[in-house]
Structures are given as structure tokens and as C-alpha cells.
Amino acid sequence: MRLYSDAALAKILDQDIFHQISSVADSIGVECYVVGGYVRDIFLERPSADIDVVVVGSGIEVASALKRKLGRRAHLSVFRNFGTAQVKCREMEIEFVGARKESYSHDSRKPIVENGTLEDDQNRRDFTINAMAICLNKERFGELVDPFNGIADLQDGIISTPLDPEITFSDDPLRMMRCIRFATQLNFQIEEETFEALERMADRIKIVSGERIEVELNKIMMSPHPSIGFEYLQRSGLLQIILPELAALDIVEKRDGRAHKNNFYHTLEVLENVCRQNASLWLRWSALLHDIGKTKTKRWEPKIGWTFHNHNYIGAKMVQDIFRRLKLPMGTEMRYVQKLVDLHMRPIAIADEEVTDSAVRRLLNDAGDDIDDLMTLCEADITSKNEVRKQLFLENFRMVREKLADLKEKDYKRLLQPVIDGNEIMELFHLSPSREVGILKQYLKDAVLDNQVENEREPLMRLLKEKAKGMGLVIDTHGGWEHGME
């Protein structure tokens, strides 16, 4: 990994804002340091607009003085309960806090905070790569303070804690999620002793709120290779606690010499495949949960082998409980994931046989505007090692996409929704909302989807009258319709 040279670092710190902070800190007579993620990202050559500054003294005092110096181009926010302040200047957000030391009780993530030294502040940091500080005072401007050799860990691609990892994770169990998240985002290895502490302390994650876990999971999910994070979560035992339905897929059973695939690692492969398509967060969640119902539906059938019938339907029903537990949004995002999990077998079933117009029309009707994402998920789901079979599926998927494109070009919403709707059926037959209305609506819809007739009033009306007659609905003397026999 290439890290910034001293010359490049000096160039970055030569920004006006750092010299302004330096001047203010020196005028007050306090030590002042840039710390944490901004320093780490300088060395990783990653852009960052959020700057954390630790003051050995009052962070609020330095922030207030900086605001006065910058004038109207800056905005100051003070949070006295937390002893912090924020200065916004153009695209930059600078957080000021006094150096502190922390102590924790066993049943809470909220620390007891006391004023401290820079050393105390660095000791409380989560990882060595986040514990580096750069002095902003004039006499030592640009000097790196790196007591835990975070630079070496950056160079080697290692995540480790400044102090005993067991104490670090016990004090604030969310750090276990952050550990895996950083390893995933940066494609780093978790240092052996640190990972062993993850395994020992996994149960402590239970005191962390679902909202906090959700944030870290989504950051893992949106990383270039989220499978790294989910494999770490599984190996450490954290996944069994936060998403046991996914952890349960990590099994291979064998009977009469026939084994099914490991559906956990298949899921990670599918997730990686959709990520290659720059998939949205919720398409990635759909990939992660697409086979979640397989544990509940797994059966051994001697003449067939292992089966997972209706795992898509059962999995879709499980999505709601998973989203609720993880504090994920319960609105359109959850329903989108449910839909894709439920429908993910449909294109595969079509592609496994002759690709008929009728099947494609029905698929488009059910998937609606999410059809392209569904096709992306289904193509990602083809992980067979049999290259001949894999290419056959992908070629059939290409044909499905062509038929879908043709339907969309012809305005599929108009083509697939019968021009005679339920309200008109009730009016024609003098019916109130009822089972009969539903049957007649579905009959017309099936006829349109199966392309039996054009979606036009005259042919649909003929079908409607024939079906109604078979159901015992006849024209009365007033020109309406009623139940009865001719």
C-alpha cells in the first residue's frame, strides 16, 4: 500500500484552515491536534471533509475563537452537554473536543468522561489506525504523534486495537462491528489477537441498539466487497446473534452420498455478483436475503435429493421480521426486498424452459418497475460451476431481457392492465364488491397476460359475457345482470 510522503502530508496541512486553527490554539496557549479518521485518510489518500480536532483544554473555547477569526464565512454550533463544538466552513466540518479519558460500566456503552491528556485520548481510541494525531501548534506543526504504530498497521493492512482488545470491545461493543466494517471497507486483515477477542466478546453485542448495528451493517453492505465483512461476522460468532437466519445457511448436509451446496457462501457469491453491477443498498439486501428461507424449507426426498420448495415465498415472509429487528426501514424499501426475494426464482424457471411470451408478460406484470433489478439479481444467482449449464441460463436470460425490452417499449402498463376494470364490471352486472367480481377481473387479466386477446374493449367484453354466463350471471329485463338461470 502506498502512503503519503512527508512532502505530500505537508502540502495537505498547508490548507489555510489548519493555519487558522494553529494561530487560535497558540493565542489561547493550548495544545491542538488533528486526530482520528481524517489523519488515517490522509495517509490512505482518501478524501475526507470531516475534521476532528482534540484540544488539551477546552475544545469549545478554541472553536469559538476560530469562529470569531473566520467571521461570517463560518458557522458555530456548541454542544455544552458533551463538551464539543462544530465549525462549518465551506465544505469542511471541524469537530472540536477536549482531550479526555473514559471509563465504562459493564452494562452500558455510555462512558464516564474526565478531562485528560493527549495520551489519554489516544488510549481510548478504537483502533491503531484511528489513534494517530498530527500537531497543529506552530512549533510542532505537522508532527505525527503515533504511539501505537498505526502507520505500520496502515502499511501492512492490519486492524488492531491500541490496548487490550478484550477491554476495548467490552467497553464499547459497537467497536466489534466497526472493526469488521473497517476491515471490509479497506480490505484489511484483522490482527489475530484482535480477532480472537471478537470471538470471545461477541455476546456483548447484545447491549448495542439495533439502530447502531444497522448503520454498521449498511456501511459493510455498501463497501466494494461486502462478503469480506459477512464472512468475518460469521467466523466471529456475531452473525449468529444479529442475523441468525443468515448464519444458519452455513451448513452442508449429506445423505446417501448426496450433499447440497453451502447456501451461506453461495449467498455471499451472489452478493458479490450484484455489487459488480453497482447495485443499490436495497438490491444488495435482496441478494443477501434471497435464500434466507432455505433453512426452513430444506427437505430430503429419496428419489430427488435435497429440495427447498417455496423457499422464495417463505423467505419473503421472513424479511419483515428481519427488517423490524435490525431497525431497517419498514416502508417501500422493505416491500422492495420482499418482492425481489419472492420473485427471484421466476426468471430462472422461465430460463430453464422455453422462453414464452406469456411467461415474460406475467413476470413483467408482477415485477413492475423493479424488473431490471430482479433480472440483475437472478443473473447474479447463477453460480453453477457447470459452465455449459451456466451459459445456457445466461443466454436464456438474454432472451428474456429482449422480450422485456420489447414490452416496455410498447408501454407495458397499458398493455397488461385490462381496459375493463373492476368498477366497470360491478356497474355492468349490478354487483357490489364480491368474490364474483374478483373472479371476472382475474379472468380478463389472465387472458391479457396470456395474450389470448388484444387488450381492447370489444374482444374483452365477449370474453367477459361468456365467463359471466358460465357463472350464472344473466341479463335482466332492465338491461342489467343478476344471479339466476336462463
Side-chain angles (χ1 to χ4, degrees):
M1 179 183 299
R2 184 168 62 88
L3 298 178
Y4 268 113
S5 66
D6 289 343
L9 174 60
K11 184 177 180 181
I12 290 168
L13 289 176
D14 199 33
Q15 296 179 67
D16 179 65
I17 190 66
F18 292 114
H19 290 283
Q20 298 280 16
I21 297 171
S22 175
S23 174
V24 167
D26 283 344
S27 68
I28 295 173
V30 293
E31 294 178 38
C32 193
Y33 301 85
V34 185
V35 297
Y38 189 83
V39 177
R40 177 199 68 227
D41 288 342
I42 286 175
F43 290 107
L44 290 176
E45 300 192 49
R46 299 200 325 167
S48 180
D50 298 334
I51 303 170
D52 292 326
V53 173
V54 163
V55 177
V56 184
S58 171
I60 293 175
E61 184 181 6
V62 173
S64 301
L66 179 64
K67 158 60 183 168
R68 290 192 298 271
K69 189 175 183 67
L70 296 176
R72 289 192 297 178
R73 59 179 168 143
H75 175 76
L76 172 68
S77 300
V78 175
F79 310 97
R80 295 196 181 278
N81 288 344
F82 299 98
T84 65
Q86 181 189 74
V87 175
K88 289 186 178 181
C89 183
R90 297 189 178 91
E91 293 84 25
M92 288 187 172
E93 293 186 3
I94 310 160
E95 298 279 349
F96 290 86
V97 64
R100 58 190 184 182
K101 56 183 176 180
E102 298 174 343
S103 57
Y104 291 79
S105 62
H106 186 74
D107 59 351
S108 174
R109 291 182 56 240
K110 298 182 74 172
I112 299 168
V113 178
E114 304 174 66
N115 292 335
T117 63
L118 174 66
E119 181 182 2
D120 292 327
D121 203 89
Q122 290 178 297
N123 285 343
R124 72 178 182 84
R125 301 277 164 174
D126 50 8
F127 308 111
T128 61
I129 62 173
N130 295 334
M132 297 180 289
I134 295 174
C135 186
L136 294 181
N137 296 98
K138 184 176 181 181
E139 286 189 3
R140 298 167 53 210
F141 189 85
E143 178 185 314
L144 177 65
V145 183
D146 184 17
F148 306 109
N149 217 2
I151 282 288
D153 284 347
L154 281 178
Q155 187 74 57
D156 296 337
I158 296 293
I159 304 291
S160 63
T161 58
L163 304 177
D164 183 338
E166 191 163 310
I167 295 174
T168 297
F169 295 147
S170 180
D171 282 349
D172 184 356
L174 184 63
R175 289 169 175 165
M176 294 188 287
M177 295 294 299
R178 285 170 56 82
C179 177
I180 291 173
R181 188 249 294 180
F182 280 121
T184 308
Q185 289 179 325
L186 302 175
N187 197 16
F188 279 18
Q189 297 291 316
I190 299 175
E191 182 263 337
E192 184 177 356
E193 185 180 347
T194 302
F195 184 78
E196 289 171 355
L198 280 179
E199 294 177 294
R200 291 193 300 272
M201 305 304 296
D203 201 56
R204 288 280 288 156
I205 200 67
K206 292 177 180 177
I207 74 166
V208 179
S209 70
E211 290 87 352
R212 293 286 188 173
I213 291 173
E214 176 213 357
V215 169
E216 295 301 325
L217 280 177
N218 284 340
K219 287 180 178 178
I220 290 170
M221 194 73 87
M222 290 307 295
S223 64
H225 297 287
S227 64
I228 295 171
F230 284 99
E231 186 170 357
Y232 270 132
L233 287 169
Q234 176 71 340
R235 287 174 49 209
S236 66
L238 285 165
L239 195 64
Q240 177 61 45
I241 299 168
I242 61 178
L243 193 46
E245 299 90 342
L246 182 62
L249 295 177
D250 189 8
I251 188 172
V252 174
E253 285 194 67
K254 192 173 184 179
R255 191 175 293 188
D256 295 345
R258 301 169 76 175
H260 62 77
K261 65 187 172 188
N262 185 308
N263 286 301
F264 175 75
Y265 285 97
H266 163 72
T267 292
L268 296 190
E269 190 174 351
V270 175
L271 179 58
E272 287 294 309
N273 287 342
V274 300
C275 290
R276 292 192 187 97
Q277 307 303 319
N278 291 321
S280 69
L281 173 62
W282 304 112
L283 180 51
R284 294 175 188 222
W285 270 105
S286 301
L288 189 73
L289 301 181
H290 81 284
D291 276 349
I292 206 73
K294 280 192 169 179
T295 302
K296 290 187 175 182
T297 59
K298 182 168 66 175
R299 301 288 184 272
W300 169 256
E301 299 181 19
K303 293 183 179 180
I304 301 174
W306 294 103
T307 65
F308 304 90
H309 296 313
N310 292 324
H311 75 273
N312 56 308
Y313 170 73
I314 297 300
K317 290 178 67 176
M318 294 167 67
V319 167
Q320 186 172 21
D321 287 341
I322 291 170
F323 266 54
R324 182 177 291 112
R325 187 177 71 243
L326 295 177
K327 308 301 182 185
L328 291 161
M330 299 297 293
T332 55
E333 297 89 349
M334 187 270 292
R335 290 191 291 274
Y336 166 92
V337 174
Q338 278 185 315
K339 179 198 283 191
L340 265 60
V341 171
D342 188 25
L343 294 178
H344 82 271
M345 295 298 293
R346 287 273 295 280
I348 294 175
I350 294 172
D352 202 21
E353 302 171 357
E354 182 184 355
V355 181
T356 66
D357 288 349
S358 174
V360 173
R361 291 164 74 92
R362 287 181 171 277
L363 176 65
L364 183 52
N365 176 74
D366 293 340
D369 292 336
D370 299 318
I371 185 65
D372 289 333
D373 285 353
L374 177 63
M375 291 302 297
T376 297
L377 172 60
C378 293
E379 288 163 350
D381 198 17
I382 305 302
T383 62
S384 172
K385 300 302 183 282
N386 183 329
E387 282 301 318
V388 174
R389 181 167 172 76
K390 184 174 181 179
Q391 290 307 312
L392 177 63
F393 267 111
L394 293 176
E395 174 60 22
N396 282 352
F397 275 142
R398 185 189 62 77
M399 294 171 60
V400 172
R401 280 193 180 272
E402 286 180 357
K403 289 180 182 290
L404 288 169
D406 183 56
L407 275 173
K408 286 194 283 188
E409 187 176 331
K410 294 176 180 177
D411 186 4
Y412 77 92
K413 290 182 180 178
R414 181 181 59 80
L415 284 172
L416 303 183
Q417 295 301 320
V419 296
I420 301 175
D421 63 13
N423 290 328
E424 188 171 356
I425 290 171
M426 288 189 287
E427 183 178 340
L428 285 167
F429 300 145
H430 289 183
L431 293 171
S432 57
S434 60
R435 178 173 173 272
E436 287 90 345
V437 176
I439 291 172
L440 292 172
K441 279 178 60 181
Q442 191 60 49
Y443 181 73
L444 293 185
K445 186 159 194 173
D446 288 342
V448 169
L449 292 175
D450 291 336
N451 209 20
Q452 294 176 13
V453 294
E454 292 296 320
N455 189 10
E456 297 174 356
R457 176 169 296 280
E458 186 175 335
L460 284 176
M461 190 63 75
R462 285 198 300 269
L463 281 180
L464 184 61
K465 290 178 179 179
E466 290 173 8
K467 181 66 174 177
K469 184 176 180 181
M471 293 170 62
L473 292 168
V474 297
I475 300 175
D476 65 21
T477 56
H478 299 91
W481 291 64
E482 60 183 14
H483 284 283
M485 299 296 293
E486 287 187 298

